[in-house]
Amino acid sequence: MRAWRVESPAPIEARPLKSVRVPVPRPGPDELLVRVLSCGVCRTDLHVAEGDLPVHRPGVVPGHEIVGEIVGGDLGAHRLGDRVGIPWLRSTCGRCRYCRRGDENLCPRSTYTGWDADGGYAEYATVPRDYALTLPAGYTDAELAPLLCAGIIGYRALLRASVPEGGVLGVYGFGGSAHLASQVAIARGARVHVMTRGADAQSLALELGASSAQGAYDSPPEPLDSAILFAPVGDLVPLALSALDSGGTLAIAGIHLSDVPPLHYQQHLFRERQIRSVTANTRSDAQAFLEFAGEHRMHVTTTPYPLEHADRALADLAAGRFAGAAVIVA
């Protein structure tokens, strides 16, 4: 099959992704083999390719927003031809104290698609069947792909941000994850203010119902009850904290963040403002978000790329050349 591998992590300009032909993967016990129909291009893929995340699997095939058709494996209750989603979270131990208390996203033995195991920048992929996701109806394969990480992680970030009923949410960065999380927040009655670079992203935010959209380093027009930082830019942390009202919460959604400047206690943290990080997701998060997507038709903005241009898709993501999400399509 055709696939792309990260042979040696490097800046995206050095083209760390290499096109290869490799054997179709063999599913192990309790695993499904799927034909990849679409795969979203996530900023985490960029962190894997550029080495911001340490190498877990040399020569890994990235990609973890996979919509696939089951073509083999240990089916269990699944059937050949079913469509399933393959997300970032690939497995957990099920035995540690985090798993037992429902926080499987914190499992120290968790593994991840496109980092610990080969992912969806390929024609076929495998997934442990207990971690394959049921997909909502009413979406194309390309629209479904970003829901499987951008959507799920954005949903968890929204939970971590503790937006009060009818509250005011600030969103910093407006890519694949932010444009989905904002729709959930608006549907639940929040006013959303977006701070992001690029006229296209700002226009998309307004089209989706944001109350305002301005530059990444600009101030929102009113104090924020909650904020989510999607951009992996540590310099934005003090700005987001300063924009919070008393008792406000900042959730940092990314798996990687550049260094955070020094914080001033009175200006940034006093009056019970707080910072929360977001680490992966649980399967219950995924189920809740996909059920929401099934009940509320979401607008998913995608830019399609064929598999042979997966490296270009990742470079375009790094350069901010599109609004919404890029998707590799079969």
Side-chain angles (χ1 to χ4, degrees):
M1 69 173 185
R2 295 176 299 157
W4 290 85
R5 290 198 180 280
V6 181
E7 292 195 348
S8 181
I12 196 65
E13 296 81 6
R15 305 189 68 175
L17 287 185
K18 304 299 179 184
S19 180
V20 296
R21 292 196 68 86
V22 295
V24 173
R26 292 185 177 182
D30 302 321
E31 287 189 346
L32 305 172
L33 175 66
V34 307
R35 180 172 67 88
V36 176
L37 303 175
S38 64
C39 181
V41 178
C42 179
R43 188 162 293 275
T44 302
D45 303 335
L46 185 64
H47 295 320
V48 169
E50 293 195 316
D52 295 324
L53 297 179
V55 174
H56 279 195
R57 178 183 176 89
V60 72
V61 175
H64 57 273
E65 298 178 327
I66 305 166
V67 176
E69 176 190 3
I70 299 174
V71 295
D74 192 350
L75 298 179
H78 296 280
R79 297 177 299 177
L80 293 176
D82 285 350
R83 280 193 317 170
V84 294
I86 302 179
W88 173 239
L89 184 66
R90 184 177 180 87
S91 71
T92 56
C93 75
R95 300 181 301 275
C96 69
R97 63 191 179 104
Y98 302 105
C99 287
R100 292 198 307 271
R101 75 186 192 197
D103 295 328
E104 65 180 0
N105 60 307
L106 302 179
C107 174
R109 289 182 285 280
S110 56
T111 66
Y112 300 93
T113 306
W115 192 21
D116 297 288
D118 287 338
Y121 287 25
E123 293 180 299
Y124 293 89
T126 64
V127 58
R129 69 182 185 215
D130 288 344
Y131 291 80
L133 300 177
T134 301
L135 299 171
Y139 296 86
T140 66
D141 294 334
E143 290 173 327
L144 285 168
L147 302 183
L148 297 172
C149 178
I152 293 168
I153 294 297
Y155 180 80
R156 183 168 184 86
L158 197 58
L159 297 180
R160 296 284 290 162
S162 297
V163 185
E165 184 175 353
V168 182
L169 172 68
V171 172
Y172 290 80
F174 204 73
S177 192
H179 95 287
L180 296 171
S182 295
Q183 292 180 65
V184 179
I186 291 167
R188 292 179 170 178
R191 292 196 305 281
V192 173
H193 299 291
V194 172
M195 280 61 69
T196 190
R197 64 178 184 175
D200 288 347
Q202 292 170 14
S203 295
L204 177 60
L206 295 174
E207 290 171 14
L208 295 177
S211 297
S212 74
Q214 43 272 311
Y217 289 84
D218 292 339
S219 297
E222 61 180 320
L224 306 174
D225 295 308
S226 305
I228 305 175
L229 177 59
F230 288 102
V233 182
D235 287 347
L236 292 174
V237 171
L239 291 177
L241 288 169
S242 294
L244 289 177
D245 205 348
S246 299
T249 298
L250 168 63
I252 300 176
I255 192 173
H256 172 77
L257 186 70
S258 60
D259 289 344
V260 178
L263 300 178
H264 185 274
Y265 180 69
Q266 295 289 337
Q267 180 181 355
H268 300 128
L269 294 171
F270 191 55
R271 296 193 61 79
E272 299 194 353
R273 286 171 286 191
Q274 60 181 317
I275 303 174
R276 291 177 173 175
S277 64
V278 177
T279 300
N281 63 274
T282 66
R283 282 173 285 179
S284 62
D285 293 331
Q287 180 180 358
F289 171 71
L290 293 174
E291 287 177 356
F292 177 93
E295 295 166 359
H296 302 77
R297 182 61 170 83
M298 303 188 72
H299 179 83
V300 187
T301 300
T302 63
T303 300
Y305 293 80
L307 179 58
E308 56 265 31
H309 293 159
D311 59 340
R312 183 187 302 172
L314 204 56
D316 287 351
L317 171 67
R321 295 192 183 104
F322 54 79
V327 180
I328 299 165
V329 293

